[in-house]
Amino acid sequence: MHRRSLLAALALGPLAALPLPARAVPPTPADQPDLDKLANYLNGIHSLRARFEQLAPDGTISHGTVWWERPGRMRLQYDPPTPLLLIAGHGEVVFHDFQLKQTSKIGLGRTPLSIILADKVTFSGPVTVTDIQRLPNEIQVSVVRTASPGEGLLALVFSENPLNMWQWTVVDAQHKITRVTLFDMQMGGQFDQNLFSFNEPAGGVSPR
């Protein structure tokens, strides 16, 4: 997988336990109350910490901890032996591979990650909803950036009663899918802002 594609996918990696629908079901006016409810929920999240499980396009499963702080900040720190670190902050997303001692960067606004890290999360205007699916106690919404839909699709999975976003999936421009599932979520709290800055480690050693 090309490093830029991998970065775009990881910059928002995950999907649901369900496959993405073969046929998209665009929203209708009747769906607007649910979309407003989901946007209000996301806008109510200032910060959270959670454990995650990621399924990469090649089938590799990895685990780690995610710190999420709106607007514009996220850190995915992978458990050993996975030698990866992803940080969103200062308007860009940084992906570092400690084993290869390589770092890639991409503007946050060029990734689907920007949709849920926005100062104001919305499902209209700069964001287009391409699909909405409902299952018992679950809603899945697929979205793209209106200005550049070909750069990646993000599928968000919410449970209802109580409302909770527990998965997201990124489908990149090459149609490769990265799935991430959140668990043990802790809402709120203040984080050390150094979590969202990247300093090239000496010798490629992962900070633990």
Side-chain angles (χ1 to χ4, degrees):
M1 188 180 196
H2 190 278
R3 288 187 61 80
R4 181 54 60 90
S5 300
L6 176 61
L7 174 58
L10 289 178
L12 232 226
L15 160 35
L18 304 172
L20 291 171
R23 297 184 61 184
V25 181
T28 68
D31 296 311
Q32 196 58 50
D34 280 339
L35 292 175
D36 290 343
K37 177 178 68 174
L38 300 180
N40 288 338
Y41 164 81
L42 291 171
N43 282 314
I45 299 175
H46 172 65
S47 61
L48 71 79
R49 176 177 175 171
R51 294 287 296 165
F52 71 84
E53 178 178 276
Q54 177 178 286
L55 177 62
D58 64 359
T60 301
I61 295 175
S62 53
H63 298 85
T65 301
V66 57
W67 291 263
W68 174 0
E69 186 175 277
R70 295 182 42 253
R73 294 178 288 277
M74 182 178 284
R75 180 187 182 99
L76 278 79
Q77 184 160 312
Y78 294 77
D79 295 341
T82 304
L84 306 177
L85 174 67
L86 184 142
I87 295 176
H90 310 288
E92 65 181 8
V93 179
V94 179
F95 176 67
H96 184 75
D97 187 317
F98 293 97
Q99 182 174 359
L100 298 178
K101 300 181 182 180
Q102 293 182 350
T103 303
S104 299
K105 298 181 180 180
I106 187 172
L108 176 59
R110 294 182 59 194
T111 73
L113 183 59
S114 62
I115 295 173
I116 60 171
L117 290 182
D119 184 42
K120 181 180 180 181
V121 178
T122 181
F123 290 134
S124 62
V127 176
T128 296
V129 178
T130 61
D131 177 77
I132 183 167
Q133 299 282 333
R134 292 180 177 82
L135 290 172
N137 197 41
E138 191 169 281
I139 300 178
Q140 176 173 303
V141 177
S142 299
V143 294
V144 296
R145 294 171 59 243
T146 304
S148 53
E151 289 188 352
L153 176 145
L154 172 65
L156 304 172
V157 182
F158 299 82
S159 60
E160 297 186 286
N161 302 317
L163 185 61
N164 181 41
M165 191 193 79
W166 62 279
Q167 267 186 340
W168 71 68
T169 300
V170 170
V171 183
D172 70 11
Q174 284 72 46
H175 305 290
K176 296 182 182 295
I177 297 175
T178 302
R179 302 180 178 180
V180 175
T181 302
L182 305 180
F183 54 97
D184 293 341
M185 284 186 282
Q186 302 173 30
M187 297 290 189
Q190 295 184 336
F191 304 140
D192 183 342
Q193 293 304 294
N194 288 328
L195 286 171
F196 310 112
S197 297
F198 179 75
N199 295 313
E200 194 80 31
V205 178
S206 173
R208 295 293 176 185

